Amino acid sequence: MMGQGAVNLALGGGEFYLRHARIIKATMTQTKNSKVNRAWINEHINDPYVIKAQREGYRARAAFKLQELDDSFGLVKPGQLVVDLGSAPGAWSQYLRRKLLTSADKGQGDTAAVTSAAVIALDILPMEPVDGVVFLQGDFREADTLSRLEQAVAGRPADLVVSDMAPNLSGIASADAARIAHLVELAVEFAKAHLKPDGALVVKLFHGSGYDDLVRLFRETFRVVKPFKPKSSRDRSSETFLVGRGLKIR
């Protein structure tokens, strides 16, 4: 019998991938005697954001989290350079590219803005190509990966850095909090080095040990800091997002 942990792993920790339809079908067959697994799978495939992701061609329901952030804070604008950290499977990159192109189509940007708009994505996992997105595979914690990302940016200050990075969780609260904090701290350091003075950084983090310290770090770094919990985040999830705008220091 396939356990819940295996189902979670196969389904990418609960996010929807287009290729999951056959995995879900096979899993339901193998776990037909498990009410818990059936209930979890049914909840997943009947999730309105999963259904919406399928309908709109997004690789994961996470696209709607970024959409809510963008709608609330006006993050994505014509001509921007956006860096997408923790990009796999690509839903945030899809949203970013679509939004940049849609803004131009609506006359919110000129030809130069369309040409200058760019999305550079990075993840430790492989990601299937997204049209118009430059993807780098590597571990953001390693110097070589950071160097390749800096080469891709090519000295151009970023308008927006978004991070959906999350570590593999061990279940040990103190260790997990340290891993989460490390990724957020690295994203902040990258933003301090590569953001425009009026640019924005969005990171995912989790309520619990270390949360207040990360909020403090954001307030030390940015002029405006806003926590945000998208409606598309699952109710039982402790995830939230921090938005920082306007660097205090360079």
Side-chain angles (χ1 to χ4, degrees):
M1 183 184 301
M2 183 180 290
Q4 185 66 48
V7 175
N8 280 336
L9 178 62
L11 297 183
E15 291 294 3
F16 177 79
Y17 298 65
L18 294 180
R19 65 179 179 275
H20 283 158
R22 62 179 182 275
I23 296 175
I24 291 172
K25 183 177 181 180
T27 303
M28 290 185 74
T29 301
Q30 295 177 42
T31 62
K32 61 184 178 181
N33 295 323
S34 171
K35 292 182 179 179
V36 173
N37 282 343
R38 284 204 307 272
W40 186 90
I41 293 167
N42 284 331
E43 177 188 14
H44 184 81
I45 63 178
N46 292 316
D47 183 303
Y49 291 104
V50 171
I51 295 169
K52 188 176 180 182
Q54 287 179 288
R55 185 172 62 245
E56 298 187 13
Y58 284 116
R59 297 176 185 178
R61 68 194 299 284
F64 303 112
K65 300 174 188 178
L66 182 56
Q67 183 180 48
E68 288 184 62
L69 282 156
D70 185 25
D71 289 345
S72 296
F73 300 103
L75 298 170
V76 186
K77 299 176 182 177
Q80 286 183 330
L81 169 62
V82 185
V83 178
D84 181 7
L85 303 174
S87 59
W92 278 26
S93 288
Q94 285 180 300
Y95 174 80
L96 290 165
R97 190 60 184 165
R98 291 183 189 183
K99 179 63 182 292
L100 289 169
L101 292 176
T102 300
S103 295
D105 290 342
K106 290 181 177 179
Q108 298 174 18
D110 56 19
T111 302
V114 175
T115 303
S116 62
V119 179
I120 300 173
L122 172 76
D123 202 287
I124 194 171
L125 298 174
M127 186 179 90
E128 294 180 7
V130 176
D131 287 345
V133 173
V134 175
F135 174 67
L136 304 173
Q137 184 174 355
D139 189 338
F140 188 61
R141 297 167 296 182
E142 296 181 355
D144 177 66
T145 300
L146 181 58
S147 177
R148 289 193 292 125
L149 180 57
E150 290 174 336
Q151 289 175 19
V153 172
R156 179 182 170 188
D159 299 274
L160 174 64
V161 177
V162 296
S163 173
D164 199 27
M165 293 189 295
N168 291 326
L169 300 180
S170 65
I172 302 172
S174 58
D176 291 340
R179 290 171 181 158
I180 292 165
H182 183 50
L183 290 176
V184 173
E185 289 164 0
L186 288 175
V188 170
E189 287 302 311
F190 180 82
K192 287 164 66 175
H194 297 285
L195 264 185
K196 288 182 176 179
D198 59 348
L201 170 66
V202 177
V203 300
K204 177 168 70 177
L205 68 167
F206 298 87
H207 284 284
S209 176
Y211 176 84
D212 290 341
D213 291 336
L214 294 175
V215 172
R216 189 176 304 112
L217 173 63
F218 257 62
R219 288 177 175 160
E220 291 170 354
T221 306
F222 296 98
R223 296 192 299 271
V224 177
V225 176
K226 298 289 186 180
F228 188 78
K229 173 79 170 180
K231 294 179 181 178
S232 49
S233 287
R234 298 184 191 276
D235 291 340
R236 61 178 175 274
S237 174
S238 64
E239 77 171 3
T240 190
F241 294 85
L242 276 183
V243 179
R245 305 191 84 152
L247 288 168
K248 286 185 175 180
I249 58 174
R250 292 292 291 175

